[in-house]
Amino acid sequence: MAKFVTIGYGDQAGYERTDPGVRDAAHAHDARLRGQGTEMGIAGKPVQVRNHDAAGTDTQDGPYLSSALPVAGFAVIDASSLAEAVEIVSQTPCAVAHGVVEVWPLQE
């Protein structure tokens, strides 16, 4: 099995315009993933960390990257392939509620 980091993007407007049955199924899907040991959570407020040339740590509140939709959450999933990871995340709330999910393979 390989590990994949997922980043879900979505906003309240997209969530609210999604059929409640579809949303409920997506939340049940996430609950099954959590039950299988997947680490996931809703994104909190980020902090940027820099320590250029190991000369001292500097922090700044807020995200470094920007996107059309806010970051909604993260997960670390196990899958046998990228295709399987895509299938897993295709049923999550961000994917079905007019958002998007990025899938990043973790390489050793």
Side-chain angles (χ1 to χ4, degrees):
M1 291 294 242
K3 290 211 178 282
F4 298 85
V5 172
T6 69
I7 306 170
Y9 301 84
D11 61 13
Q12 193 66 33
Y15 183 82
E16 289 175 358
R17 74 174 191 257
T18 302
D19 180 271
V22 171
R23 292 190 319 234
D24 291 346
H27 288 295
H29 176 74
D30 274 6
R32 283 191 300 279
L33 291 176
R34 281 188 191 96
Q36 296 168 358
T38 297
E39 294 183 48
M40 67 172 58
I42 296 170
K45 295 185 184 234
V47 174
Q48 300 173 38
V49 179
R50 292 173 180 79
N51 185 9
H52 298 172
D53 297 319
T57 303
D58 177 45
T59 62
Q60 181 177 345
D61 291 340
Y64 178 70
L65 297 174
S66 62
S67 68
L69 293 170
V71 173
F74 299 92
V76 178
I77 62 172
D78 292 314
S80 61
S81 66
L82 178 60
E84 182 183 14
V86 167
E87 176 60 30
I88 290 168
V89 303
S90 71
Q91 300 302 312
T92 62
C94 283
V96 302
H98 303 275
V100 64
V101 180
E102 292 179 337
V103 178
W104 293 66
L106 290 180
Q107 300 175 348
E108 293 185 31

